[in-house]
Each structure stands twice: as structure tokens, then as C-alpha cells.
Coordinates of all heavy atoms in Angstrom, one line a residue:
M1379 N 0.8 -1.2 0.0 CA 0.0 -0.1 0.0 C 0.9 1.2 0.0 O 1.8 1.3 0.7 CB -0.9 0.0 1.3 CG -1.8 1.2 1.2 SD -3.1 1.0 2.5 CE -2.5 2.1 3.8
Q1380 N 0.6 2.3 -0.8 CA 1.3 3.5 -0.9 C 0.5 4.6 -0.3 O -0.7 4.6 -0.3 CB 1.6 3.7 -2.3 CG 2.6 2.8 -2.9 CD 3.1 3.2 -4.3 OE1 2.6 4.2 -4.8 NE2 4.2 2.6 -4.7
V1381 N 1.2 5.6 0.2 CA 0.6 6.8 0.8 C 1.0 8.0 -0.2 O 2.2 8.1 -0.5 CB 1.1 7.0 2.2 CG1 0.6 8.3 2.8 CG2 0.7 5.9 3.1
L1382 N 0.0 8.8 -0.5 CA 0.3 10.0 -1.3 C 0.7 11.1 -0.4 O 0.0 11.5 0.5 CB -0.9 10.3 -2.2 CG -0.8 11.5 -3.0 CD1 0.3 11.5 -4.0 CD2 -2.2 11.9 -3.6
L1383 N 1.9 11.7 -0.6 CA 2.3 12.9 0.1 C 2.4 14.0 -0.8 O 2.8 13.9 -2.0 CB 3.7 12.6 0.7 CG 3.8 11.4 1.6 CD1 5.3 11.2 2.0 CD2 3.0 11.6 2.9
Q1384 N 1.9 15.2 -0.4 CA 1.9 16.3 -1.3 C 2.6 17.5 -0.5 O 2.5 17.6 0.7 CB 0.5 16.8 -1.7 CG -0.2 15.8 -2.5 CD -1.6 16.2 -2.9 OE1 -2.2 17.1 -2.2 NE2 -2.1 15.7 -3.9
M1385 N 3.3 18.4 -1.3 CA 3.9 19.6 -0.7 C 3.9 20.7 -1.8 O 3.8 20.4 -3.0 CB 5.3 19.3 -0.2 CG 6.3 18.9 -1.3 SD 7.9 18.6 -0.7 CE 8.6 20.2 -0.7
S1386 N 3.9 21.9 -1.3 CA 4.0 22.9 -2.3 C 5.4 23.6 -2.2 O 6.0 23.7 -1.2 CB 3.0 24.1 -1.8 OG 1.7 23.6 -2.0
V1387 N 5.9 24.0 -3.4 CA 7.2 24.7 -3.5 C 6.9 25.9 -4.4 O 6.3 25.7 -5.5 CB 8.2 23.7 -4.2 CG1 9.6 24.4 -4.5 CG2 8.5 22.5 -3.3
D1388 N 7.5 27.0 -4.0 CA 7.4 28.2 -4.8 C 8.1 27.9 -6.2 O 9.2 27.4 -6.2 CB 8.1 29.3 -4.1 CG 7.8 30.7 -4.7 OD1 7.7 30.7 -6.0 OD2 7.7 31.7 -4.0
E1389 N 7.4 28.2 -7.3 CA 7.9 28.0 -8.6 C 9.2 28.8 -8.9 O 10.0 28.3 -9.6 CB 6.8 28.5 -9.6 CG 7.2 28.1 -11.0 CD 6.1 28.5 -12.0 OE1 5.5 29.5 -11.8 OE2 5.9 27.8 -13.0
R1390 N 9.4 29.9 -8.1 CA 10.7 30.7 -8.3 C 11.9 29.7 -7.9 O 13.0 29.9 -8.4 CB 10.6 31.9 -7.5 CG 9.6 32.9 -8.1 CD 9.4 34.1 -7.4 NE 8.8 33.8 -6.1 CZ 8.5 34.6 -5.1 NH1 8.8 35.9 -5.3 NH2 7.9 34.2 -4.1
L1391 N 11.7 28.9 -6.9 CA 12.7 28.0 -6.4 C 13.2 27.1 -7.6 O 14.4 26.9 -7.9 CB 12.3 27.1 -5.3 CG 13.3 26.1 -4.8 CD1 14.6 26.8 -4.3 CD2 12.8 25.2 -3.7
L1392 N 12.2 26.5 -8.2 CA 12.5 25.6 -9.4 C 13.2 26.4 -10.5 O 14.2 25.9 -11.1 CB 11.3 24.9 -9.9 CG 10.6 23.9 -9.0 CD1 9.3 23.4 -9.6 CD2 11.5 22.9 -8.6
L1393 N 12.7 27.6 -10.8 CA 13.3 28.5 -11.8 C 14.9 28.8 -11.5 O 15.7 28.8 -12.2 CB 12.5 29.8 -12.0 CG 11.1 29.5 -12.6 CD1 10.3 30.9 -12.7 CD2 11.3 29.0 -14.1
S1394 N 15.0 29.2 -10.2 CA 16.4 29.5 -9.7 C 17.3 28.3 -9.8 O 18.6 28.5 -10.1 CB 16.4 30.2 -8.3 OG 16.0 29.2 -7.4
L1395 N 16.8 27.1 -9.5 CA 17.6 25.9 -9.6 C 17.7 25.4 -11.0 O 18.6 24.5 -11.3 CB 17.0 24.8 -8.7 CG 17.0 25.1 -7.3 CD1 16.1 24.0 -6.5 CD2 18.4 25.1 -6.7
K1396 N 16.9 26.0 -12.0 CA 16.9 25.5 -13.4 C 16.6 24.1 -13.4 O 17.2 23.3 -14.2 CB 18.2 25.8 -14.1 CG 18.5 27.4 -14.1 CD 19.8 27.6 -14.8 CE 20.0 29.1 -14.7 NZ 21.3 29.6 -15.2
E1397 N 15.6 23.6 -12.6 CA 15.2 22.3 -12.6 C 13.7 22.1 -12.9 O 12.9 23.1 -12.6 CB 15.4 21.6 -11.3 CG 16.8 21.3 -10.9 CD 17.0 20.6 -9.6 OE1 16.0 20.1 -9.0 OE2 18.2 20.4 -9.2
K1398 N 13.3 21.1 -13.6 CA 11.9 20.8 -13.7 C 11.3 20.1 -12.5 O 12.1 19.6 -11.7 CB 11.7 19.9 -15.0 CG 12.1 20.6 -16.3 CD 11.9 19.7 -17.4 CE 12.4 20.5 -18.6 NZ 12.5 19.6 -19.9
K1399 N 10.0 20.1 -12.4 CA 9.4 19.5 -11.2 C 9.8 18.1 -11.0 O 10.2 17.7 -9.9 CB 7.9 19.6 -11.4 CG 7.1 19.1 -10.2 CD 5.6 19.3 -10.3 CE 5.0 18.1 -11.0 NZ 3.5 18.1 -11.0
D1400 N 9.8 17.3 -12.1 CA 10.1 15.9 -11.9 C 11.6 15.7 -11.4 O 11.9 14.8 -10.6 CB 9.9 15.1 -13.2 CG 8.4 15.0 -13.6 OD1 7.6 15.2 -12.6 OD2 8.1 14.8 -14.7
E1401 N 12.5 16.4 -11.9 CA 14.0 16.4 -11.6 C 14.1 16.8 -10.1 O 14.8 16.1 -9.3 CB 14.8 17.4 -12.4 CG 14.9 17.0 -13.9 CD 15.4 18.2 -14.6 OE1 15.5 19.3 -14.3 OE2 15.9 17.8 -15.9
F1402 N 13.4 17.8 -9.7 CA 13.4 18.3 -8.3 C 12.9 17.2 -7.3 O 13.6 16.9 -6.4 CB 12.5 19.6 -8.1 CG 12.6 20.2 -6.8 CD1 13.7 20.9 -6.3 CD2 11.5 20.0 -6.0 CE1 13.8 21.4 -5.1 CE2 11.5 20.6 -4.7 CZ 12.6 21.3 -4.3
I1403 N 11.8 16.5 -7.7 CA 11.2 15.5 -6.9 C 12.2 14.4 -6.8 O 12.4 13.8 -5.7 CB 9.9 15.0 -7.4 CG1 8.8 16.2 -7.3 CG2 9.3 13.8 -6.8 CD1 7.5 16.0 -8.0
A1404 N 12.8 13.9 -7.9 CA 13.7 12.8 -7.9 C 14.9 13.1 -7.0 O 15.4 12.2 -6.2 CB 14.2 12.5 -9.3
Q1405 N 15.5 14.3 -7.1 CA 16.5 14.8 -6.2 C 16.2 14.7 -4.7 O 16.9 14.3 -3.9 CB 17.1 16.1 -6.5 CG 17.9 16.2 -7.8 CD 19.2 15.4 -7.6 OE1 19.9 15.5 -6.6 NE2 19.5 14.6 -8.7
M1406 N 15.0 15.2 -4.4 CA 14.5 15.2 -3.1 C 14.3 13.8 -2.5 O 14.7 13.5 -1.4 CB 13.1 16.0 -2.9 CG 13.3 17.4 -2.9 SD 11.7 18.2 -2.7 CE 11.1 17.5 -1.2
M1407 N 13.8 12.9 -3.3 CA 13.7 11.5 -2.9 C 15.0 10.9 -2.7 O 15.2 10.2 -1.7 CB 12.8 10.8 -4.0 CG 11.4 11.3 -4.1 SD 10.4 11.0 -2.7 CE 10.1 9.2 -2.8
F1408 N 16.0 11.1 -3.6 CA 17.3 10.6 -3.4 C 18.0 11.0 -2.1 O 18.5 10.2 -1.4 CB 18.1 10.9 -4.7 CG 19.6 10.5 -4.5 CD1 19.9 9.1 -4.6 CD2 20.6 11.5 -4.2 CE1 21.3 8.9 -4.3 CE2 21.9 11.1 -3.9 CZ 22.2 9.8 -4.0
H1409 N 17.9 12.3 -1.9 CA 18.6 12.9 -0.7 C 17.9 12.5 0.5 O 18.6 12.2 1.5 CB 18.8 14.4 -0.9 CG 19.8 14.8 -1.9 ND1 21.2 14.6 -1.6 CD2 19.7 15.3 -3.1 CE1 21.8 15.0 -2.7 NE2 21.0 15.3 -3.6
H1410 N 16.6 12.3 0.5 CA 16.0 11.8 1.8 C 16.3 10.3 2.0 O 16.5 10.0 3.1 CB 14.5 12.1 1.6 CG 13.8 11.8 3.0 ND1 14.0 12.6 4.1 CD2 12.9 10.8 3.4 CE1 13.3 12.1 5.1 NE2 12.6 11.1 4.6
A1411 N 16.3 9.6 0.9 CA 16.8 8.2 1.1 C 18.1 8.1 1.6 O 18.5 7.2 2.4 CB 16.6 7.4 -0.3
L1412 N 19.0 9.0 1.1 CA 20.4 9.0 1.4 C 20.6 9.3 2.9 O 21.2 8.7 3.8 CB 21.2 10.0 0.6 CG 22.7 10.2 1.0 CD1 23.5 8.9 1.0 CD2 23.3 11.2 0.1
M1413 N 19.7 10.3 3.4 CA 19.7 10.6 4.8 C 19.3 9.5 5.7 O 19.9 9.2 6.8 CB 18.9 11.9 5.1 CG 18.9 12.4 6.5 SD 17.4 12.9 7.4 CE 16.2 11.9 6.6
L1414 N 18.2 8.8 5.3 CA 17.7 7.6 6.1 C 18.7 6.5 6.1 O 18.9 5.9 7.1 CB 16.4 7.1 5.4 CG 15.2 8.1 5.5 CD1 14.0 7.6 4.7 CD2 14.8 8.3 7.0
Y1415 N 19.4 6.3 5.0 CA 20.5 5.3 4.9 C 21.7 5.7 5.8 O 22.2 4.8 6.6 CB 20.9 5.1 3.5 CG 22.1 4.2 3.3 CD1 22.0 2.9 3.7 CD2 23.4 4.7 2.9 CE1 23.1 2.0 3.5 CE2 24.4 3.8 2.8 CZ 24.3 2.4 3.1 OH 25.3 1.6 3.0
R1416 N 22.1 7.0 5.8 CA 23.2 7.4 6.6 C 22.9 7.2 8.1 O 23.8 6.8 8.9 CB 23.4 8.9 6.4 CG 24.3 9.2 5.2 CD 24.4 10.7 5.2 NE 25.1 11.2 4.0 CZ 25.0 12.4 3.5 NH1 24.2 13.3 4.1 NH2 25.6 12.7 2.4
K1417 N 21.6 7.4 8.5 CA 21.3 7.4 9.9 C 21.0 5.9 10.3 O 20.7 5.6 11.5 CB 20.0 8.2 10.2 CG 20.3 9.6 10.1 CD 19.0 10.4 10.6 CE 19.3 11.9 10.6 NZ 18.2 12.6 11.2
G1418 N 21.1 5.0 9.3 CA 20.9 3.6 9.6 C 19.4 3.1 9.8 O 19.1 2.2 10.4
K1419 N 18.6 4.0 9.4 CA 17.1 3.7 9.5 C 16.6 2.8 8.4 O 15.6 2.2 8.7 CB 16.3 5.1 9.5 CG 16.6 5.9 10.7 CD 15.7 7.1 10.7 CE 15.9 7.9 12.0 NZ 14.7 8.1 12.8
V1420 N 17.3 2.8 7.3 CA 16.9 1.9 6.2 C 18.1 1.2 5.6 O 19.2 1.7 5.7 CB 16.1 2.5 5.1 CG1 14.8 3.1 5.6 CG2 16.9 3.6 4.5
S1421 N 18.0 0.1 5.1 CA 19.1 -0.7 4.4 C 19.4 0.0 3.1 O 18.6 0.9 2.6 CB 18.7 -2.1 4.2 OG 17.7 -2.2 3.2
L1422 N 20.5 -0.4 2.5 CA 20.9 0.1 1.2 C 19.7 -0.2 0.2 O 19.4 0.7 -0.6 CB 22.2 -0.4 0.8 CG 22.7 0.1 -0.6 CD1 23.3 1.4 -0.4 CD2 23.7 -0.9 -1.2
G1423 N 19.3 -1.4 0.2 CA 18.2 -1.8 -0.7 C 16.9 -1.0 -0.6 O 16.3 -0.6 -1.5
K1424 N 16.6 -0.8 0.7 CA 15.3 0.0 1.0 C 15.5 1.5 0.6 O 14.6 2.0 0.1 CB 14.9 -0.1 2.4 CG 14.3 -1.5 2.8 CD 13.0 -1.6 2.1 CE 12.4 -2.9 2.5 NZ 11.2 -3.2 1.7
A1425 N 16.7 2.0 0.8 CA 17.0 3.3 0.4 C 16.9 3.5 -1.1 O 16.3 4.4 -1.6 CB 18.3 3.8 0.9
A1426 N 17.4 2.5 -1.8 CA 17.3 2.5 -3.3 C 15.9 2.5 -3.7 O 15.5 3.2 -4.6 CB 18.1 1.3 -3.8
E1427 N 15.2 1.6 -3.1 CA 13.7 1.4 -3.5 C 13.0 2.7 -3.2 O 12.2 3.2 -4.1 CB 13.2 0.2 -2.7 CG 11.7 0.0 -3.0 CD 11.2 -1.2 -2.1 OE1 11.9 -2.1 -1.7 OE2 10.0 -1.1 -1.7
F1428 N 13.2 3.4 -2.1 CA 12.5 4.5 -1.8 C 12.9 5.7 -2.7 O 12.0 6.5 -3.1 CB 13.0 5.0 -0.4 CG 12.4 6.3 0.1 CD1 11.1 6.3 0.6 CD2 13.1 7.5 0.0 CE1 10.5 7.6 1.0 CE2 12.5 8.7 0.4 CZ 11.2 8.7 0.9
A1429 N 14.1 5.7 -3.2 CA 14.5 6.8 -4.2 C 14.1 6.5 -5.6 O 14.3 7.3 -6.5 CB 16.1 6.9 -4.1
G1430 N 13.6 5.2 -5.8 CA 13.1 4.9 -7.2 C 14.2 4.3 -8.0 O 14.1 4.3 -9.3
Y1431 N 15.3 3.7 -7.4 CA 16.4 3.1 -8.2 C 16.5 1.7 -7.8 O 16.1 1.2 -6.8 CB 17.7 3.9 -7.9 CG 17.7 5.3 -8.2 CD1 17.6 6.3 -7.3 CD2 17.8 5.7 -9.6 CE1 17.6 7.6 -7.6 CE2 17.8 7.0 -9.9 CZ 17.7 8.0 -8.9 OH 17.7 9.4 -9.2
D1432 N 17.2 0.9 -8.7 CA 17.6 -0.4 -8.3 C 18.9 -0.2 -7.5 O 19.5 0.9 -7.5 CB 17.8 -1.3 -9.6 CG 18.8 -0.8 -10.5 OD1 20.1 -0.8 -10.1 OD2 18.5 -0.3 -11.6
K1433 N 19.3 -1.3 -6.9 CA 20.4 -1.2 -5.9 C 21.7 -0.7 -6.6 O 22.4 0.1 -6.1 CB 20.6 -2.6 -5.3 CG 21.1 -2.6 -3.9 CD 21.1 -4.0 -3.3 CE 21.3 -4.0 -1.9 NZ 21.3 -5.4 -1.4
I1434 N 22.0 -1.3 -7.8 CA 23.2 -0.9 -8.5 C 23.3 0.5 -8.9 O 24.2 1.3 -8.7 CB 23.4 -1.8 -9.7 CG1 23.5 -3.3 -9.3 CG2 24.6 -1.4 -10.6 CD1 24.6 -3.7 -8.4
T1435 N 22.1 1.0 -9.4 CA 22.0 2.5 -9.8 C 22.2 3.4 -8.6 O 22.9 4.3 -8.6 CB 20.8 2.7 -10.5 OG1 20.6 1.9 -11.7 CG2 20.7 4.2 -11.0
F1436 N 21.6 2.9 -7.5 CA 21.7 3.8 -6.2 C 23.2 3.8 -5.7 O 23.6 4.8 -5.4 CB 20.8 3.1 -5.2 CG 20.6 4.0 -3.9 CD1 19.9 5.2 -4.0 CD2 21.2 3.7 -2.8 CE1 19.8 6.0 -2.8 CE2 21.1 4.4 -1.6 CZ 20.3 5.6 -1.7
I1437 N 23.9 2.7 -5.8 CA 25.2 2.5 -5.4 C 26.0 3.5 -6.3 O 26.9 4.2 -5.8 CB 25.7 1.2 -5.5 CG1 25.1 0.3 -4.3 CG2 27.3 1.1 -5.4 CD1 25.4 -1.2 -4.3
H1438 N 25.7 3.5 -7.6 CA 26.5 4.3 -8.5 C 26.2 5.8 -8.2 O 27.2 6.6 -8.2 CB 26.0 4.1 -10.0 CG 26.7 4.9 -11.0 ND1 28.0 4.9 -11.2 CD2 26.2 5.9 -11.7 CE1 28.3 5.8 -12.1 NE2 27.3 6.5 -12.5
K1439 N 25.0 6.2 -7.8 CA 24.7 7.6 -7.4 C 25.4 7.9 -6.1 O 25.9 9.0 -6.0 CB 23.2 7.8 -7.3 CG 22.5 7.8 -8.7 CD 21.1 8.3 -8.6 CE 20.8 9.7 -8.2 NZ 21.3 10.7 -9.1
L1440 N 25.6 7.0 -5.2 CA 26.3 7.3 -4.0 C 27.7 7.5 -4.3 O 28.3 8.4 -3.7 CB 26.2 6.0 -3.0 CG 24.8 5.7 -2.4 CD1 24.9 4.5 -1.5 CD2 24.3 6.9 -1.6
Q1441 N 28.3 6.8 -5.2 CA 29.7 7.0 -5.7 C 29.8 8.4 -6.2 O 30.8 9.1 -6.0 CB 30.1 5.9 -6.6 CG 30.3 4.6 -6.0 CD 30.6 3.5 -7.0 OE1 30.2 3.6 -8.1 NE2 31.1 2.4 -6.5
L1442 N 28.9 8.8 -7.1 CA 28.9 10.1 -7.7 C 28.9 11.2 -6.6 O 29.4 12.3 -6.8 CB 27.8 10.3 -8.6 CG 27.9 9.5 -9.9 CD1 26.6 9.7 -10.8 CD2 29.1 9.8 -10.7
E1443 N 28.2 11.0 -5.4 CA 28.1 11.9 -4.3 C 29.3 11.8 -3.4 O 29.4 12.4 -2.3 CB 26.8 11.7 -3.6 CG 25.5 12.0 -4.4 CD 25.3 13.4 -4.5 OE1 25.6 14.1 -3.5 OE2 24.7 13.8 -5.5
N1444 N 30.3 10.9 -3.6 CA 31.4 10.6 -2.9 C 30.9 10.1 -1.5 O 31.5 10.4 -0.5 CB 32.3 11.8 -2.6 CG 33.0 12.1 -3.9 OD1 33.5 11.2 -4.7 ND2 33.1 13.4 -4.2
E1445 N 29.9 9.3 -1.5 CA 29.2 8.8 -0.2 C 29.7 7.3 -0.1 O 29.6 6.5 -1.0 CB 27.7 8.8 -0.4 CG 27.0 8.4 0.8 CD 27.1 9.5 1.9 OE1 27.2 10.7 1.7 OE2 27.1 9.0 3.1
P1446 N 30.3 7.0 1.1 CA 30.7 5.7 1.3 C 29.5 4.7 1.3 O 28.4 5.0 1.8 CB 31.4 5.7 2.7 CG 30.9 6.9 3.4 CD 30.5 7.9 2.3
I1447 N 29.8 3.5 0.7 CA 28.6 2.6 0.7 C 28.5 1.9 2.0 O 27.4 1.6 2.4 CB 29.0 1.6 -0.4 CG1 28.9 2.3 -1.8 CG2 27.9 0.5 -0.4 CD1 29.4 1.5 -2.9
F1448 N 29.6 1.6 2.7 CA 29.6 1.0 4.0 C 30.2 2.0 4.9 O 31.2 2.5 4.7 CB 30.3 -0.4 4.0 CG 29.7 -1.3 3.0 CD1 30.4 -1.5 1.9 CD2 28.6 -1.9 3.2 CE1 29.9 -2.5 0.9 CE2 28.0 -2.9 2.4 CZ 28.6 -3.1 1.2
D1449 N 29.5 2.3 6.0 CA 30.0 3.1 7.1 C 30.2 2.3 8.3 O 29.2 2.2 9.1 CB 29.0 4.3 7.2 CG 29.6 5.4 8.1 OD1 30.8 5.4 8.4 OD2 28.8 6.2 8.7
Y1450 N 31.4 1.9 8.6 CA 31.6 1.1 9.8 C 31.8 2.0 11.0 O 32.3 3.1 10.9 CB 32.9 0.3 9.7 CG 32.8 -0.7 8.6 CD1 33.5 -0.5 7.4 CD2 32.0 -1.8 8.7 CE1 33.5 -1.4 6.3 CE2 32.0 -2.7 7.6 CZ 32.7 -2.5 6.5 OH 32.7 -3.4 5.5
E1451 N 31.2 1.6 12.2 CA 31.3 2.4 13.4 C 32.7 2.4 13.8 O 33.5 1.5 13.5 CB 30.5 1.8 14.5 CG 29.0 1.9 14.1 CD 28.1 1.3 15.2 OE1 28.7 1.0 16.3 OE2 27.0 1.0 14.9
N1452 N 33.2 3.4 14.5 CA 34.6 3.5 15.0 C 35.1 2.3 15.7 O 36.1 1.8 15.5 CB 34.8 4.8 15.8 CG 34.8 6.0 14.9 OD1 35.1 5.9 13.7 ND2 34.6 7.2 15.5
E1453 N 34.3 1.9 16.6 CA 34.7 0.7 17.5 C 34.9 -0.5 16.6 O 36.0 -1.2 16.8 CB 33.6 0.4 18.5 CG 34.0 -0.6 19.5 CD 33.0 -0.8 20.6 OE1 32.4 0.2 21.0 OE2 32.8 -2.0 21.0
L1454 N 34.0 -0.8 15.7 CA 34.2 -1.9 14.8 C 35.4 -1.8 14.0 O 36.2 -2.7 13.7 CB 32.9 -2.1 13.9 CG 33.0 -3.2 12.9 CD1 33.2 -4.6 13.6 CD2 31.7 -3.2 12.0
T1455 N 35.7 -0.5 13.5 CA 37.0 -0.3 12.6 C 38.2 -0.6 13.5 O 39.1 -1.2 13.0 CB 36.9 1.2 12.2 OG1 35.7 1.4 11.4 CG2 38.1 1.5 11.3
F1456 N 38.2 -0.2 14.8 CA 39.4 -0.5 15.6 C 39.5 -2.0 15.8 O 40.6 -2.5 15.9 CB 39.2 0.3 16.9 CG 39.4 1.8 16.7 CD1 38.5 2.6 17.3 CD2 40.5 2.3 16.1 CE1 38.7 4.0 17.2 CE2 40.6 3.7 15.9 CZ 39.8 4.5 16.5
E1457 N 38.4 -2.7 16.0 CA 38.5 -4.1 16.2 C 38.9 -4.8 15.0 O 39.8 -5.7 15.1 CB 37.1 -4.6 16.5 CG 36.5 -4.4 17.9 CD 35.1 -4.8 18.1 OE1 34.7 -5.8 17.5 OE2 34.5 -4.3 19.0
M1458 N 38.6 -4.3 13.8 CA 39.1 -5.0 12.6 C 40.6 -4.7 12.5 O 41.3 -5.6 12.0 CB 38.3 -4.3 11.4 CG 36.9 -4.8 11.3 SD 35.8 -4.0 10.2 CE 36.7 -3.9 8.7
A1459 N 41.0 -3.5 12.8 CA 42.5 -3.2 12.6 C 43.3 -4.0 13.7 O 44.3 -4.4 13.4 CB 42.7 -1.7 12.9
D1460 N 42.8 -4.2 14.9 CA 43.4 -5.0 15.9 C 43.5 -6.5 15.4 O 44.6 -7.1 15.6 CB 42.7 -4.9 17.2 CG 42.8 -3.6 18.0 OD1 43.8 -2.9 17.6 OD2 42.1 -3.3 18.9
A1461 N 42.5 -6.9 14.8 CA 42.5 -8.3 14.3 C 43.6 -8.5 13.2 O 44.3 -9.5 13.1 CB 41.1 -8.7 13.8
V1462 N 43.7 -7.5 12.3 CA 44.7 -7.6 11.2 C 46.0 -7.5 11.8 O 47.0 -8.3 11.4 CB 44.5 -6.3 10.3 CG1 45.7 -6.2 9.3 CG2 43.2 -6.5 9.4
N1463 N 46.3 -6.6 12.9 CA 47.6 -6.6 13.6 C 47.9 -7.9 14.2 O 49.0 -8.4 14.2 CB 47.6 -5.4 14.6 CG 47.7 -4.1 13.9 OD1 48.2 -4.0 12.8 ND2 47.1 -3.1 14.4
D1464 N 46.9 -8.6 14.8 CA 47.1 -9.9 15.5 C 47.6 -10.9 14.4 O 48.5 -11.7 14.6 CB 45.9 -10.4 16.2 CG 45.6 -9.5 17.4 OD1 46.4 -8.8 17.9 OD2 44.4 -9.7 17.9
V1465 N 47.0 -10.9 13.3 CA 47.3 -11.8 12.2 C 48.7 -11.6 11.7 O 49.5 -12.5 11.5 CB 46.3 -11.7 11.1 CG1 46.7 -12.5 9.8 CG2 44.9 -12.3 11.5
L1466 N 49.0 -10.3 11.6 CA 50.4 -9.9 11.1 C 51.4 -10.4 12.1 O 52.5 -10.9 11.7 CB 50.5 -8.5 10.8 CG 49.7 -7.9 9.6 CD1 49.8 -6.3 9.6 CD2 50.2 -8.6 8.4
R1467 N 51.1 -10.2 13.4 CA 52.1 -10.6 14.5 C 52.3 -12.2 14.4 O 53.4 -12.6 14.5 CB 51.6 -10.2 15.8 CG 52.2 -9.0 16.3 CD 51.8 -8.6 17.7 NE 50.9 -7.4 17.6 CZ 49.6 -7.4 18.0 NH1 49.2 -8.4 18.7 NH2 48.9 -6.4 17.8
I1468 N 51.2 -12.9 14.2 CA 51.3 -14.3 14.2 C 52.1 -14.8 13.0 O 53.0 -15.6 13.1 CB 49.9 -15.0 14.1 CG1 49.2 -14.8 15.5 CG2 50.0 -16.4 13.7 CD1 47.7 -15.1 15.4
M1469 N 51.9 -14.1 11.9 CA 52.7 -14.5 10.7 C 54.2 -14.2 10.9 O 55.0 -14.9 10.4 CB 52.1 -13.7 9.4 CG 50.8 -14.1 9.0 SD 50.0 -13.1 7.8 CE 51.1 -13.4 6.4
D1470 N 54.5 -13.1 11.6 CA 55.9 -12.7 11.8 C 56.5 -13.7 12.7 O 57.7 -14.1 12.6 CB 56.0 -11.3 12.4 CG 55.9 -10.2 11.4 OD1 56.1 -10.4 10.3 OD2 55.7 -9.0 11.8
N1471 N 55.8 -14.2 13.7 CA 56.3 -15.2 14.6 C 56.6 -16.6 14.0 O 57.4 -17.3 14.5 CB 55.4 -15.4 15.8 CG 55.4 -14.2 16.8 OD1 56.3 -13.4 16.8 ND2 54.3 -14.0 17.5
Q1472 N 55.9 -16.8 12.9 CA 56.1 -18.1 12.2 C 57.3 -18.1 11.3 O 57.6 -19.2 10.8 CB 54.8 -18.5 11.4 CG 53.6 -18.7 12.3 CD 52.3 -19.1 11.5 OE1 52.3 -18.9 10.3 NE2 51.3 -19.5 12.2
K1473 N 57.9 -17.0 11.0 CA 59.0 -16.9 10.2 C 60.2 -17.5 10.8 O 60.6 -17.5 11.8 CB 59.2 -15.4 9.8 CG 58.2 -15.0 8.8 CD 58.6 -13.6 8.4 CE 57.5 -13.0 7.4 NZ 57.8 -11.6 7.0

């Protein structure tokens, strides 16, 4: 089931942006989906669906925006780095 949402935008805004209504809506949907994805409220697939793209196209658009596809939390990043260092130490000890 879908819900219809409506909003009004001053036509001068579209003129100043040099965008057509459909382009403006698509950009709004993409950026809102991106915000929801950044906050971890939706998965990558759901964000793509919300923005009206398939997953691959959405990932491509993220790359164009220099947006990381995976955003690891700091603690997880440090754990991963520690694990790599442990493996390197083990490998050095085996020499």
C-alpha cells in the first residue's frame, strides 16, 4: 500500500535551480533516502527502492556523491584493525 504525500514549492525556487518539477522531486527523494540510509534507519536496498532506483544504480549515485557505501562504526573499525595486527604478528612469529 502506498501513501500519497503532497507539498508546495514556490515556482521561483525551481526556476532559480533551473530544474523541472520531476527532476526536483527525484533529487528530493534521493537525498531523503540517502539521509535515512546514513542514519541507519533503512538498508541500502530499501533506500534505493525509496529513491526509485535499483540497488546498483543507487550505489552508482552514492559514488557520484562521494558517499561511502559501507560506514563502519569507529569501534568496529578499531576491532578490525586490531584483528589484522594480530594476524600480522602471528605471521611474523612463524618466520
Side-chain angles (χ1 to χ4, degrees):
M1379 182 168 105
Q1380 292 189 351
V1381 176
L1382 176 64
L1383 302 175
Q1384 295 181 340
M1385 63 179 274
S1386 297
V1387 175
D1388 191 322
E1389 187 177 35
R1390 291 175 292 184
L1391 175 62
L1392 296 177
L1393 291 172
S1394 68
L1395 295 171
K1396 298 178 183 169
E1397 289 187 6
K1398 295 181 179 168
K1399 181 176 91 169
D1400 292 342
E1401 295 168 341
F1402 183 75
I1403 291 169
Q1405 284 295 317
M1406 282 185 52
M1407 296 294 286
F1408 171 75
H1409 286 288
H1410 190 64
L1412 176 57
M1413 186 224 24
L1414 293 172
Y1415 174 65
R1416 279 181 185 158
K1417 290 185 173 189
K1419 293 188 176 233
V1420 296
S1421 67
L1422 182 77
K1424 286 293 179 189
E1427 182 182 326
F1428 179 80
Y1431 299 104
D1432 60 71
K1433 214 172 187 180
I1434 300 299
T1435 304
F1436 189 73
I1437 288 171
H1438 179 68
K1439 286 191 69 67
L1440 291 179
Q1441 290 172 335
L1442 293 174
E1443 295 282 329
N1444 294 319
E1445 187 68 33
I1447 297 168
F1448 300 103
D1449 187 18
Y1450 298 107
E1451 295 178 14
N1452 285 338
E1453 187 175 322
L1454 178 60
T1455 304
F1456 290 130
E1457 287 177 27
M1458 290 168 47
D1460 287 343
V1462 168
N1463 287 332
D1464 290 344
V1465 169
L1466 292 174
R1467 265 187 252 122
I1468 291 169
M1469 290 173 65
D1470 280 343
N1471 289 338
Q1472 291 179 352
K1473 289 182 181 180

